[in-house]
PDB file of all heavy atoms in Angstrom:
ATOM      1  N   PHE A 201     258.880  74.437  68.079  1.00  0.00           N
ATOM      2  CA  PHE A 201     260.112  75.110  68.472  1.00  0.00           C
ATOM      3  C   PHE A 201     261.278  74.161  68.765  1.00  0.00           C
ATOM      4  O   PHE A 201     262.414  74.589  68.755  1.00  0.00           O
ATOM      5  CB  PHE A 201     259.865  75.959  69.734  1.00  0.00           C
ATOM      6  CG  PHE A 201     259.004  77.153  69.481  1.00  0.00           C
ATOM      7  CD1 PHE A 201     257.658  77.124  69.781  1.00  0.00           C
ATOM      8  CD2 PHE A 201     259.544  78.305  68.932  1.00  0.00           C
ATOM      9  CE1 PHE A 201     256.857  78.228  69.546  1.00  0.00           C
ATOM     10  CE2 PHE A 201     258.756  79.413  68.703  1.00  0.00           C
ATOM     11  CZ  PHE A 201     257.407  79.381  69.010  1.00  0.00           C
ATOM     12  N   ILE A 202     260.987  72.901  69.022  1.00  0.00           N
ATOM     13  CA  ILE A 202     262.040  71.995  69.478  1.00  0.00           C
ATOM     14  C   ILE A 202     262.387  70.964  68.418  1.00  0.00           C
ATOM     15  O   ILE A 202     261.523  70.313  67.854  1.00  0.00           O
ATOM     16  CB  ILE A 202     261.611  71.267  70.781  1.00  0.00           C
ATOM     17  CG1 ILE A 202     261.235  72.291  71.854  1.00  0.00           C
ATOM     18  CG2 ILE A 202     262.708  70.356  71.269  1.00  0.00           C
ATOM     19  CD1 ILE A 202     262.343  73.237  72.220  1.00  0.00           C
ATOM     20  N   ASP A 203     263.673  70.806  68.146  1.00  0.00           N
ATOM     21  CA  ASP A 203     264.168  69.781  67.242  1.00  0.00           C
ATOM     22  C   ASP A 203     264.633  68.592  68.091  1.00  0.00           C
ATOM     23  O   ASP A 203     265.663  68.649  68.748  1.00  0.00           O
ATOM     24  CB  ASP A 203     265.340  70.334  66.417  1.00  0.00           C
ATOM     25  CG  ASP A 203     265.819  69.333  65.370  1.00  0.00           C
ATOM     26  OD1 ASP A 203     265.424  68.150  65.448  1.00  0.00           O
ATOM     27  OD2 ASP A 203     266.597  69.730  64.487  1.00  0.00           O
ATOM     28  N   TYR A 204     263.830  67.525  68.081  1.00  0.00           N
ATOM     29  CA  TYR A 204     264.132  66.382  68.940  1.00  0.00           C
ATOM     30  C   TYR A 204     265.506  65.786  68.656  1.00  0.00           C
ATOM     31  O   TYR A 204     266.194  65.315  69.551  1.00  0.00           O
ATOM     32  CB  TYR A 204     263.055  65.297  68.763  1.00  0.00           C
ATOM     33  CG  TYR A 204     261.719  65.668  69.345  1.00  0.00           C
ATOM     34  CD1 TYR A 204     260.715  66.201  68.545  1.00  0.00           C
ATOM     35  CD2 TYR A 204     261.467  65.485  70.697  1.00  0.00           C
ATOM     36  CE1 TYR A 204     259.479  66.543  69.077  1.00  0.00           C
ATOM     37  CE2 TYR A 204     260.229  65.823  71.244  1.00  0.00           C
ATOM     38  CZ  TYR A 204     259.250  66.355  70.431  1.00  0.00           C
ATOM     39  OH  TYR A 204     258.042  66.695  70.968  1.00  0.00           O
ATOM     40  N   GLU A 205     265.930  65.805  67.401  1.00  0.00           N
ATOM     41  CA  GLU A 205     267.199  65.194  67.035  1.00  0.00           C
ATOM     42  C   GLU A 205     268.391  65.903  67.658  1.00  0.00           C
ATOM     43  O   GLU A 205     269.451  65.325  67.848  1.00  0.00           O
ATOM     44  CB  GLU A 205     267.349  65.170  65.506  1.00  0.00           C
ATOM     45  CG  GLU A 205     266.328  64.283  64.816  1.00  0.00           C
ATOM     46  CD  GLU A 205     266.529  64.268  63.318  1.00  0.00           C
ATOM     47  OE1 GLU A 205     267.450  64.955  62.833  1.00  0.00           O
ATOM     48  OE2 GLU A 205     265.764  63.559  62.633  1.00  0.00           O
ATOM     49  N   GLU A 206     268.202  67.208  68.000  1.00  0.00           N
ATOM     50  CA  GLU A 206     269.306  67.966  68.568  1.00  0.00           C
ATOM     51  C   GLU A 206     269.224  68.060  70.088  1.00  0.00           C
ATOM     52  O   GLU A 206     270.049  68.682  70.732  1.00  0.00           O
ATOM     53  CB  GLU A 206     269.324  69.382  67.969  1.00  0.00           C
ATOM     54  CG  GLU A 206     269.602  69.395  66.467  1.00  0.00           C
ATOM     55  CD  GLU A 206     269.682  70.800  65.921  1.00  0.00           C
ATOM     56  OE1 GLU A 206     269.554  71.745  66.722  1.00  0.00           O
ATOM     57  OE2 GLU A 206     269.887  70.949  64.710  1.00  0.00           O
ATOM     58  N   LEU A 207     268.223  67.435  70.679  1.00  0.00           N
ATOM     59  CA  LEU A 207     268.055  67.488  72.128  1.00  0.00           C
ATOM     60  C   LEU A 207     268.767  66.332  72.813  1.00  0.00           C
ATOM     61  O   LEU A 207     268.808  65.222  72.299  1.00  0.00           O
ATOM     62  CB  LEU A 207     266.573  67.412  72.487  1.00  0.00           C
ATOM     63  CG  LEU A 207     265.765  68.711  72.410  1.00  0.00           C
ATOM     64  CD1 LEU A 207     264.300  68.405  72.629  1.00  0.00           C
ATOM     65  CD2 LEU A 207     266.247  69.687  73.472  1.00  0.00           C
ATOM     66  N   ASP A 208     269.336  66.601  73.963  1.00  0.00           N
ATOM     67  CA  ASP A 208     269.809  65.500  74.795  1.00  0.00           C
ATOM     68  C   ASP A 208     268.908  65.433  76.030  1.00  0.00           C
ATOM     69  O   ASP A 208     268.074  66.310  76.267  1.00  0.00           O
ATOM     70  CB  ASP A 208     271.279  65.664  75.196  1.00  0.00           C
ATOM     71  CG  ASP A 208     271.535  66.966  75.942  1.00  0.00           C
ATOM     72  OD1 ASP A 208     270.760  67.280  76.866  1.00  0.00           O
ATOM     73  OD2 ASP A 208     272.509  67.657  75.606  1.00  0.00           O
ATOM     74  N   GLU A 209     269.070  64.426  76.816  1.00  0.00           N
ATOM     75  CA  GLU A 209     268.148  64.187  77.928  1.00  0.00           C
ATOM     76  C   GLU A 209     268.213  65.272  78.995  1.00  0.00           C
ATOM     77  O   GLU A 209     267.285  65.450  79.770  1.00  0.00           O
ATOM     78  CB  GLU A 209     268.446  62.822  78.556  1.00  0.00           C
ATOM     79  CG  GLU A 209     268.138  61.653  77.621  1.00  0.00           C
ATOM     80  CD  GLU A 209     268.417  60.332  78.291  1.00  0.00           C
ATOM     81  OE1 GLU A 209     268.893  60.343  79.442  1.00  0.00           O
ATOM     82  OE2 GLU A 209     268.154  59.293  77.663  1.00  0.00           O
ATOM     83  N   LYS A 210     269.326  66.010  79.040  1.00  0.00           N
ATOM     84  CA  LYS A 210     269.484  67.023  80.079  1.00  0.00           C
ATOM     85  C   LYS A 210     269.087  68.414  79.603  1.00  0.00           C
ATOM     86  O   LYS A 210     269.243  69.382  80.329  1.00  0.00           O
ATOM     87  CB  LYS A 210     270.939  67.036  80.560  1.00  0.00           C
ATOM     88  CG  LYS A 210     271.372  65.735  81.231  1.00  0.00           C
ATOM     89  CD  LYS A 210     272.802  65.834  81.711  1.00  0.00           C
ATOM     90  CE  LYS A 210     273.245  64.537  82.394  1.00  0.00           C
ATOM     91  NZ  LYS A 210     274.653  64.625  82.876  1.00  0.00           N
ATOM     92  N   ASP A 211     268.593  68.503  78.385  1.00  0.00           N
ATOM     93  CA  ASP A 211     268.228  69.815  77.849  1.00  0.00           C
ATOM     94  C   ASP A 211     267.146  70.457  78.721  1.00  0.00           C
ATOM     95  O   ASP A 211     266.158  69.835  79.076  1.00  0.00           O
ATOM     96  CB  ASP A 211     267.714  69.678  76.413  1.00  0.00           C
ATOM     97  CG  ASP A 211     267.551  71.027  75.751  1.00  0.00           C
ATOM     98  OD1 ASP A 211     266.527  71.676  76.026  1.00  0.00           O
ATOM     99  OD2 ASP A 211     268.440  71.417  74.974  1.00  0.00           O
ATOM    100  N   SER A 212     267.351  71.742  79.066  1.00  0.00           N
ATOM    101  CA  SER A 212     266.436  72.414  79.992  1.00  0.00           C
ATOM    102  C   SER A 212     265.031  72.519  79.431  1.00  0.00           C
ATOM    103  O   SER A 212     264.050  72.453  80.175  1.00  0.00           O
ATOM    104  CB  SER A 212     266.966  73.818  80.306  1.00  0.00           C
ATOM    105  OG  SER A 212     267.066  74.594  79.133  1.00  0.00           O
ATOM    106  N   LYS A 213     264.910  72.685  78.103  1.00  0.00           N
ATOM    107  CA  LYS A 213     263.576  72.807  77.523  1.00  0.00           C
ATOM    108  C   LYS A 213     262.830  71.480  77.607  1.00  0.00           C
ATOM    109  O   LYS A 213     261.627  71.448  77.847  1.00  0.00           O
ATOM    110  CB  LYS A 213     263.676  73.288  76.072  1.00  0.00           C
ATOM    111  CG  LYS A 213     264.317  74.662  75.911  1.00  0.00           C
ATOM    112  CD  LYS A 213     264.279  75.098  74.473  1.00  0.00           C
ATOM    113  CE  LYS A 213     265.026  76.411  74.261  1.00  0.00           C
ATOM    114  NZ  LYS A 213     266.460  76.283  74.496  1.00  0.00           N
ATOM    115  N   MET A 214     263.551  70.389  77.391  1.00  0.00           N
ATOM    116  CA  MET A 214     262.927  69.078  77.517  1.00  0.00           C
ATOM    117  C   MET A 214     262.484  68.855  78.957  1.00  0.00           C
ATOM    118  O   MET A 214     261.380  68.368  79.218  1.00  0.00           O
ATOM    119  CB  MET A 214     263.911  67.987  77.086  1.00  0.00           C
ATOM    120  CG  MET A 214     263.359  66.581  77.252  1.00  0.00           C
ATOM    121  SD  MET A 214     261.947  66.241  76.182  1.00  0.00           S
ATOM    122  CE  MET A 214     262.818  65.797  74.684  1.00  0.00           C
ATOM    123  N   ASN A 215     263.324  69.262  79.930  1.00  0.00           N
ATOM    124  CA  ASN A 215     262.946  69.126  81.326  1.00  0.00           C
ATOM    125  C   ASN A 215     261.718  69.956  81.637  1.00  0.00           C
ATOM    126  O   ASN A 215     260.847  69.543  82.392  1.00  0.00           O
ATOM    127  CB  ASN A 215     264.111  69.569  82.226  1.00  0.00           C
ATOM    128  CG  ASN A 215     265.247  68.558  82.217  1.00  0.00           C
ATOM    129  OD1 ASN A 215     265.024  67.389  81.943  1.00  0.00           O
ATOM    130  ND2 ASN A 215     266.451  69.013  82.500  1.00  0.00           N
ATOM    131  N   PHE A 216     261.641  71.119  81.052  1.00  0.00           N
ATOM    132  CA  PHE A 216     260.495  71.997  81.264  1.00  0.00           C
ATOM    133  C   PHE A 216     259.197  71.280  80.893  1.00  0.00           C
ATOM    134  O   PHE A 216     258.228  71.289  81.649  1.00  0.00           O
ATOM    135  CB  PHE A 216     260.674  73.268  80.432  1.00  0.00           C
ATOM    136  CG  PHE A 216     259.434  74.103  80.288  1.00  0.00           C
ATOM    137  CD1 PHE A 216     258.922  74.799  81.370  1.00  0.00           C
ATOM    138  CD2 PHE A 216     258.784  74.199  79.064  1.00  0.00           C
ATOM    139  CE1 PHE A 216     257.779  75.577  81.246  1.00  0.00           C
ATOM    140  CE2 PHE A 216     257.650  74.968  78.929  1.00  0.00           C
ATOM    141  CZ  PHE A 216     257.147  75.662  80.026  1.00  0.00           C
ATOM    142  N   PHE A 217     259.183  70.638  79.734  1.00  0.00           N
ATOM    143  CA  PHE A 217     257.973  69.943  79.315  1.00  0.00           C
ATOM    144  C   PHE A 217     257.724  68.684  80.128  1.00  0.00           C
ATOM    145  O   PHE A 217     256.584  68.314  80.384  1.00  0.00           O
ATOM    146  CB  PHE A 217     258.030  69.632  77.816  1.00  0.00           C
ATOM    147  CG  PHE A 217     257.535  70.770  76.996  1.00  0.00           C
ATOM    148  CD1 PHE A 217     258.399  71.755  76.589  1.00  0.00           C
ATOM    149  CD2 PHE A 217     256.196  70.890  76.684  1.00  0.00           C
ATOM    150  CE1 PHE A 217     257.942  72.835  75.869  1.00  0.00           C
ATOM    151  CE2 PHE A 217     255.722  71.967  75.961  1.00  0.00           C
ATOM    152  CZ  PHE A 217     256.601  72.945  75.555  1.00  0.00           C
ATOM    153  N   SER A 218     258.771  68.059  80.527  1.00  0.00           N
ATOM    154  CA  SER A 218     258.623  66.887  81.381  1.00  0.00           C
ATOM    155  C   SER A 218     257.996  67.287  82.709  1.00  0.00           C
ATOM    156  O   SER A 218     257.085  66.613  83.221  1.00  0.00           O
ATOM    157  CB  SER A 218     259.990  66.241  81.615  1.00  0.00           C
ATOM    158  OG  SER A 218     259.888  65.186  82.538  1.00  0.00           O
ATOM    159  N   PHE A 219     258.428  68.411  83.251  1.00  0.00           N
ATOM    160  CA  PHE A 219     257.877  68.891  84.527  1.00  0.00           C
ATOM    161  C   PHE A 219     256.404  69.284  84.374  1.00  0.00           C
ATOM    162  O   PHE A 219     255.591  69.056  85.275  1.00  0.00           O
ATOM    163  CB  PHE A 219     258.679  70.091  85.037  1.00  0.00           C
ATOM    164  CG  PHE A 219     260.106  69.756  85.393  1.00  0.00           C
ATOM    165  CD1 PHE A 219     261.114  70.688  85.228  1.00  0.00           C
ATOM    166  CD2 PHE A 219     260.433  68.508  85.907  1.00  0.00           C
ATOM    167  CE1 PHE A 219     262.424  70.386  85.557  1.00  0.00           C
ATOM    168  CE2 PHE A 219     261.738  68.181  86.251  1.00  0.00           C
ATOM    169  CZ  PHE A 219     262.747  69.131  86.076  1.00  0.00           C
ATOM    170  N   LEU A 220     256.057  69.888  83.240  1.00  0.00           N
ATOM    171  CA  LEU A 220     254.671  70.284  83.017  1.00  0.00           C
ATOM    172  C   LEU A 220     253.744  69.063  83.003  1.00  0.00           C
ATOM    173  O   LEU A 220     252.656  69.085  83.575  1.00  0.00           O
ATOM    174  CB  LEU A 220     254.537  71.051  81.701  1.00  0.00           C
ATOM    175  CG  LEU A 220     255.058  72.490  81.673  1.00  0.00           C
ATOM    176  CD1 LEU A 220     254.859  73.090  80.284  1.00  0.00           C
ATOM    177  CD2 LEU A 220     254.357  73.351  82.714  1.00  0.00           C
ATOM    178  N   LYS A 221     254.187  68.010  82.312  1.00  0.00           N
ATOM    179  CA  LYS A 221     253.373  66.796  82.236  1.00  0.00           C
ATOM    180  C   LYS A 221     253.234  66.145  83.611  1.00  0.00           C
ATOM    181  O   LYS A 221     252.160  65.661  83.991  1.00  0.00           O
ATOM    182  CB  LYS A 221     253.990  65.826  81.233  1.00  0.00           C
ATOM    183  CG  LYS A 221     253.902  66.326  79.797  1.00  0.00           C
ATOM    184  CD  LYS A 221     254.604  65.380  78.834  1.00  0.00           C
ATOM    185  CE  LYS A 221     254.518  65.903  77.404  1.00  0.00           C
ATOM    186  NZ  LYS A 221     255.227  65.041  76.433  1.00  0.00           N
ATOM    187  N   LYS A 222     254.318  66.146  84.359  1.00  0.00           N
ATOM    188  CA  LYS A 222     254.267  65.572  85.710  1.00  0.00           C
ATOM    189  C   LYS A 222     253.366  66.404  86.610  1.00  0.00           C
ATOM    190  O   LYS A 222     252.680  65.863  87.492  1.00  0.00           O
ATOM    191  CB  LYS A 222     255.678  65.494  86.296  1.00  0.00           C
ATOM    192  CG  LYS A 222     256.558  64.438  85.625  1.00  0.00           C
ATOM    193  CD  LYS A 222     257.964  64.443  86.215  1.00  0.00           C
ATOM    194  CE  LYS A 222     258.834  63.379  85.529  1.00  0.00           C
ATOM    195  NZ  LYS A 222     260.222  63.385  86.056  1.00  0.00           N
ATOM    196  N   LEU A 223     253.365  67.727  86.387  1.00  0.00           N
ATOM    197  CA  LEU A 223     252.507  68.599  87.172  1.00  0.00           C
ATOM    198  C   LEU A 223     251.040  68.244  86.945  1.00  0.00           C
ATOM    199  O   LEU A 223     250.253  68.125  87.894  1.00  0.00           O
ATOM    200  CB  LEU A 223     252.754  70.060  86.798  1.00  0.00           C
ATOM    201  CG  LEU A 223     251.810  71.078  87.441  1.00  0.00           C
ATOM    202  CD1 LEU A 223     252.124  71.231  88.921  1.00  0.00           C
ATOM    203  CD2 LEU A 223     251.896  72.428  86.738  1.00  0.00           C
TER     204      LEU A 223
END
Side-chain angles (χ1 to χ4, degrees):
F201 290 99
I202 304 301
D203 185 347
Y204 289 97
E205 295 181 359
E206 296 183 2
L207 278 173
D208 58 47
E209 293 181 357
K210 296 182 180 180
D211 190 280
S212 60
K213 298 184 185 66
M214 177 65 84
N215 288 336
F216 166 70
F217 274 89
S218 174
F219 295 148
L220 286 179
K221 292 176 181 178
K222 290 178 180 178
L223 174 72

